[in-house]
Amino acid sequence: MMIIDFASIGHELKKPVAQIESAVRLLDEGNTIPFITRFRKDQTGGLNEEQLLIIKQSVARLRSLAERKAFIVKSIDSQNNLTEELSQAIAAANSSRQLEDIYLPFKPKKQTLATTAKQLGLEPLANDIFEGREPEKDLASRATDFVRVDLNLNSIDEVIAGVGHILADRFSNDIEMRNRLRNLIGETGKLCTRLIAVDKEETETDIQQPTASAPAGNNPNIASPILLEPLVVDVPADVPELKSTVASESNIVAGPPEPAMGAEPAAAVSGTLARPLPDEIDDSAIVPEQRAVATGSQPENPGPDLVSLSERPVGVETATKTALKPAPRKKKKKKKPVDDPYREFHDFSCPLSKMPYHKTLAINRGEKNGRLKVRIAFNETEFLEKACAAVVPAEHPFGEFMRDCLRDSMTRLVVPSVEREVRREITEAAEQHAVRVFAKNLKNLLLQSPVRDQRVLSIDPGYKRGCSIAVIDSGGQVLEHSHVFVVGNEQRRQESLQKIVEMIQRHSVKLIAIGNGAACREAEQLVSDIIAAKTVDLELKYAIVNEAGASVYSTSEVGREELPAVSPAVRSAVSIGRRLIDPLSELVKISPASIGVGLYQHDVKARHLAESLDDVVEFCVNRVGVDVNTASPSLLKYVSGLNQLTARRVYEFRQEHGPFRNREELKQVASFGDATFVQSAGFLRIHGGDQPLDATSIHPESYEVAKRILERVEASVEELFPLNFQNSTHAVVNSKTSLPESVAGQTSAALPSADLAASLQTAIEPRTAHV
């Protein structure tokens, strides 16, 4: 087993190695970072959460590297290639890249051109050429001895090509050449992109309307259910009126037309089928006037003259004209031009050393979407010339062939490999930066100051669908909900205004929360009109709340469980109001990636982002503390030592047996053992219970020390921690040191004993390991 040296971590954090080793020991024992930060600071020398997290991640990386070293040593030893010098080089490797470079010549490879050539027995010839043996023989004559038809080596050229592949593979394993290329790309390389052409959308073509000279049946654009094809009728020669009448109709052909020279009969022209002959017509499907035309007989009681088709009843005429009229075609709606998100990268070039992180992620996205072609540009010609001069001696008997093999190796194998490596490194750096920015923004959002003891009317604004409104109490429970409109005619707007005023008066609301989505400004104007008109006696105030992720909560399992009787729109409004009352308790119910406080979160590896954001949420929850009798399972699962299953069981136990009276009752919950109790008890608060210290951040293992200190200073817990005994919602802030700066500044003036409370907590925590 290899020993891990923590000196590099100590150098990074500027802390002694003994301090790092103590922190690692506590982590290996199963202690969480919040627990170590709060209750074991005497053993770590006061390391904070960020430092402990860096130690945890660095130790995981070093252990993974040690495991890889052990595997590589075992793999090389199994090939009988392990030497003392190689073992020392592997042990001294301090990075994954350096270790993989050492392992590269011995790494089992897939079937390549070089391995195929070796299997054909060309490696001895390649070794002779590489070492310059027998220079008096030219390459062609030496290759003749290796021509073997049975091995599919049919010519000298094939043998020489195989030898070239073997030598190119050998050159590609040269660590020094790879390092030179890395340095060159790092110093002079540029990331270049160009746009990949995409097919343009087809332009709209005008629809050709049928003309009078064109038969209706020849135009496929006409959708007529009755007279789509020309009706061919034999008209008796002795009825001239009927013949002229039939000929006057544009959709009826009087007799079969004369086919053009070389043309097919009328029934086959343009794929149009002729109507059946008169003796085949179904009389029941023809009105009397049409039957007269079709059969050549006169209708009953025709009157003095034969009724022509132009004198048919209005309904028949209308139906015929409707059938002949071409169906309207909808024109394609012209799409508005969309801004190209990659217009900046159509012809882009930037040195790698100055490449902004956000542009790296944007380029990666464009390449993934098939819109951008990306490459790393550097002086490849100069590099190849220097490589040939450094690797191939000028007096080598096969120098020209060796230099050709080296160029092939660098161009085909080494350069693409190093480019992928460089791209991966700059991408990882960009992702790490994006995660750090996201985590920082999330931390600031979660630690916003809560609004205590206020009923809130929350508005989820919208245009066409209107606005969902809900009134919630100081604990986040829904008192009433409704629906209003902020746009439209003045009457509807006044009705909505009156409905909001009535809800405000009915529940004595003094604070309004407005989501910042669509129709936010219109909703704000409506609320401003209410305040300006002074239609209510209460002093109203409103706040614009970021509603990112509220729709996610409204359709989530957590939202359906908490508010099963209301619609998703009302759940979204309730979430907006709760964010104002207690941001931390509400935002932990939503996936951090859906809150919208970071850029390019969809371009970052989901696993890395989720792990980092979960750590941030855990740190924030445990810094503030949780009221175990009001917290939801979504909040409890982030408490140190608890997981989703344990949090659910705590919640169900509370629902079944009522509120917890003291921290010791937590041990009655299934799977809530001693180890879990030690890790979590100091972060779970119980207000109004049997033990006043349960409402503070003091750990139960330090209660005896706390009581002795209280006796010495002749003070009570209520005097030292007054904020802990006020009405709380879901999360409770415990002392001045636990508050964000904005809240701490407001409470310190109101709490003359805050410094004493902080001193008590500081005095107790270093002794927790010895109590």
Side-chain angles (χ1 to χ4, degrees):
M1 180 178 180
M2 293 189 178
I3 300 175
I4 299 176
D5 185 11
F6 299 123
S8 59
I9 304 178
H11 179 73
E12 179 182 358
L13 296 177
K14 298 181 180 178
K15 299 291 183 180
V17 176
Q19 198 172 352
I20 305 299
E21 292 176 346
S22 178
V24 172
R25 177 179 53 80
L26 289 171
L27 290 169
D28 290 342
E29 290 175 356
N31 297 296
T32 65
I33 292 180
F35 178 80
I36 297 172
T37 304
R38 178 69 66 84
F39 302 112
R40 296 294 183 265
K41 62 176 63 176
D42 60 317
Q43 300 182 34
T44 63
L47 294 176
N48 58 31
E49 296 165 344
E50 289 77 12
Q51 292 171 331
L52 287 171
L53 182 60
I54 292 175
I55 292 174
K56 181 179 178 180
Q57 294 173 346
S58 300
V59 168
R61 185 179 65 252
L62 290 176
R63 286 175 175 168
S64 176
L65 186 64
E67 292 177 1
R68 183 62 176 169
K69 287 180 180 180
F71 173 80
I72 289 175
V73 168
K74 184 177 179 180
S75 176
I76 298 176
D77 189 31
S78 65
Q79 303 173 28
N80 298 323
N81 292 322
L82 187 63
T83 62
E84 185 65 26
E85 181 181 359
L86 198 56
S87 298
Q88 294 177 358
I90 294 173
N94 54 15
S95 67
S96 177
R97 180 208 287 178
Q98 187 178 356
L99 185 61
E100 295 302 325
D101 282 346
I102 297 173
Y103 184 46
L104 186 61
F106 309 98
K107 188 175 184 178
K109 298 180 177 62
K110 297 179 181 179
Q111 192 70 15
T112 62
L113 296 174
T115 56
T116 302
K118 291 178 181 179
Q119 292 171 0
L120 296 177
L122 299 180
E123 189 170 15
L125 179 58
N127 292 336
D128 291 344
I129 294 174
F130 183 80
E131 297 174 4
R133 299 172 186 170
E134 300 182 12
E136 66 278 2
K137 293 184 180 180
D138 61 351
L139 192 58
S141 62
R142 301 184 66 172
T144 305
D145 300 335
F146 289 86
V147 174
R148 292 185 59 180
V149 180
D150 59 327
L151 295 179
N152 203 23
L153 291 174
N154 302 318
S155 64
I156 295 175
D157 292 339
E158 292 181 2
V159 173
I160 295 176
V163 171
H165 293 320
I166 295 175
L167 293 177
D169 182 68
R170 180 174 298 182
F171 288 135
S172 69
N173 295 330
D174 191 333
I175 299 177
E176 184 178 353
M177 292 307 302
R178 284 180 174 268
N179 289 332
R180 288 183 181 180
L181 180 58
R182 291 186 184 113
N183 295 334
L184 179 62
I185 291 178
E187 294 173 0
T188 64
K190 294 182 179 181
L191 190 67
C192 302
T193 65
R194 63 178 178 83
L195 183 69
I196 297 178
V198 295
D199 295 335
K200 295 183 178 180
E201 296 182 356
E202 296 181 0
T203 57
E204 292 184 349
T205 56
D206 295 332
I207 300 175
Q208 298 294 330
Q209 298 294 339
T211 60
S213 60
N218 293 342
N219 193 334
N221 294 326
I222 299 178
S224 175
I226 302 176
L227 298 175
L228 183 61
E229 300 89 10
L231 180 64
V232 180
V233 182
D234 276 336
V235 181
D238 57 348
V239 189
E241 296 87 351
L242 181 60
K243 185 172 184 180
S244 61
T245 303
V246 173
S248 66
E249 294 295 324
S250 61
N251 65 311
I252 300 178
V253 180
E258 292 293 334
M261 185 67 66
E264 296 294 331
V269 174
S270 301
T272 304
L273 298 177
R275 288 285 188 179
L277 294 176
D279 57 346
E280 299 173 341
I281 295 179
D282 183 6
D283 292 347
S284 63
I286 305 177
V287 295
E289 291 80 6
Q290 290 175 321
R291 186 181 299 112
V293 175
T295 61
S297 61
Q298 295 196 10
E300 299 178 3
N301 302 323
D305 296 317
L306 181 67
V307 179
S308 67
L309 292 178
S310 60
E311 298 173 352
R312 289 177 296 177
V314 176
V316 177
E317 178 72 16
T318 304
T320 305
K321 290 183 178 181
T322 303
L324 293 174
K325 186 178 180 181
R329 296 296 301 274
K330 292 183 179 180
K331 290 186 177 181
K332 294 182 180 179
K333 185 180 292 185
K334 294 183 178 180
K335 295 182 179 179
K336 295 182 179 179
V338 181
D339 291 338
D340 184 3
Y342 307 111
R343 61 183 179 275
E344 182 181 357
F345 307 109
H346 287 187
D347 188 11
F348 176 81
S349 177
C350 181
L352 291 172
S353 58
K354 300 180 180 179
M355 189 69 192
Y357 293 129
H358 66 281
K359 289 187 177 181
T360 299
L361 297 176
I363 289 173
N364 290 346
R365 184 198 302 169
E367 184 180 32
K368 183 179 180 180
N369 294 340
R371 296 296 308 280
L372 298 177
K373 182 71 174 179
V374 186
R375 66 183 181 89
I376 294 179
F378 66 99
N379 195 340
E380 190 170 352
T381 303
E382 180 182 354
F383 169 71
L384 292 176
E385 291 176 356
K386 292 182 178 180
C388 290
V391 176
V392 183
E395 64 279 2
H396 197 285
F398 306 104
E400 190 60 32
F401 178 70
M402 293 276 287
R403 282 185 282 272
D404 290 341
C405 294
L406 179 61
R407 294 189 189 95
D408 174 61
S409 174
M410 296 296 109
T411 304
R412 181 170 57 88
L413 301 175
V414 178
V415 171
S417 175
V418 174
E419 284 185 350
R420 288 192 298 269
E421 180 184 291
V422 172
R423 288 285 307 278
R424 183 169 59 251
E425 289 178 353
I426 63 175
T427 298
E428 289 176 355
E431 289 181 348
Q432 291 174 2
H433 178 266
V435 169
R436 287 195 300 269
V437 172
F438 203 122
K440 182 179 179 180
N441 293 340
L442 178 62
K443 181 178 179 181
N444 294 334
L445 180 65
L446 294 178
L447 292 180
Q448 288 183 110
S449 303
V451 176
R452 304 290 183 186
D453 303 326
Q454 289 282 351
R455 288 187 175 184
V456 176
L457 185 145
S458 60
I459 302 176
D460 180 19
Y463 283 111
K464 186 175 180 180
R465 63 176 177 82
C467 305
S468 296
I469 59 177
V471 177
I472 58 178
D473 62 16
S474 59
Q477 300 302 315
V478 181
L479 302 177
E480 185 181 354
H481 61 84
S482 185
H483 198 79
V484 298
F485 293 89
V486 296
V487 294
N489 56 53
E490 187 61 25
Q491 179 181 356
R492 188 167 70 171
R493 191 173 183 275
Q494 289 299 323
E495 292 175 354
S496 299
L497 189 147
Q498 184 61 32
K499 185 181 293 186
I500 294 176
V501 169
E502 292 174 356
M503 293 179 68
I504 291 174
Q505 292 176 336
R506 189 157 46 244
H507 299 284
S508 301
V509 174
K510 296 182 180 180
L511 185 60
I512 300 176
I514 305 172
N516 65 341
C520 167
R521 294 308 175 192
E522 287 75 8
E524 181 185 9
Q525 184 61 52
L526 186 68
V527 173
S528 299
D529 293 344
I530 294 174
I531 296 175
K534 297 183 180 180
T535 54
V536 293
D537 299 332
L538 302 173
E539 184 180 351
L540 281 177
K541 296 180 181 179
Y542 72 90
I544 305 297
V545 180
N546 184 3
E547 66 175 35
S551 59
V552 176
Y553 166 80
S554 66
T555 56
S556 66
E557 183 178 354
V558 176
R560 293 194 300 269
E561 181 180 347
E562 291 184 345
L563 303 169
V566 299
S567 65
V570 176
R571 293 189 199 121
S572 181
V574 172
S575 178
I576 292 172
R578 287 176 176 175
R579 293 182 187 198
L580 188 61
I581 294 176
D582 193 349
L584 178 60
S585 298
E586 185 63 22
L587 292 175
V588 295
K589 303 174 185 177
I590 306 169
S591 170
S594 302
I595 297 178
V597 293
L599 297 175
Y600 298 99
Q601 60 261 34
H602 301 295
D603 299 320
V604 179
K605 291 184 178 64
R607 181 174 61 87
H608 295 167
L609 181 63
E611 290 175 355
S612 176
L613 298 185
D614 285 345
D615 290 338
V616 171
V617 176
E618 182 180 358
F619 296 161
C620 292
V621 169
N622 289 283
R623 175 179 294 186
V624 174
V626 171
D627 187 343
V628 70
N629 286 325
T630 59
S632 64
S634 301
L635 185 62
L636 286 170
K637 71 179 182 180
Y638 287 106
V639 174
S640 169
L642 302 187
N643 53 32
Q644 189 168 1
L645 177 60
T646 311
R648 170 59 61 179
R649 289 176 175 172
V650 170
Y651 175 78
E652 292 174 351
F653 185 91
R654 187 182 76 202
Q655 295 293 105
E656 182 179 354
H657 299 89
F660 291 94
R661 299 300 303 170
N662 54 69
R663 285 172 171 171
E664 290 295 327
E665 288 186 0
L666 292 169
K667 295 181 180 180
Q668 300 177 16
V669 179
S671 74
F672 206 104
D674 293 338
T676 303
F677 180 82
V678 170
Q679 296 294 317
S680 61
F683 304 100
L684 297 173
R685 314 285 187 263
I686 298 177
H687 298 271
D690 302 335
Q691 172 58 263
L693 291 175
D694 287 346
T696 70
S697 60
I698 299 174
H699 199 280
E701 64 186 6
S702 301
Y703 280 180
E704 294 300 323
V705 178
K707 291 178 181 178
R708 291 199 299 268
I709 295 177
L710 289 172
E711 293 174 358
R712 182 172 299 181
V713 298
E714 297 180 355
S716 65
V717 179
E718 291 81 357
E719 293 175 344
L720 293 179
F721 301 98
L723 189 61
N724 295 93
F725 298 93
Q726 296 177 3
N727 293 332
S728 62
T729 55
H730 293 285
V732 179
V733 181
N734 300 286
S735 67
K736 177 182 176 182
T737 57
S738 299
L739 288 168
E741 293 181 1
S742 58
V743 183
Q746 298 172 4
T747 57
S748 58
L751 304 178
S753 58
D755 292 337
L756 181 58
S759 301
L760 172 62
Q761 187 168 324
T762 304
I764 293 173
E765 289 171 354
R767 294 180 173 84
T768 54
H770 309 290
V771 174

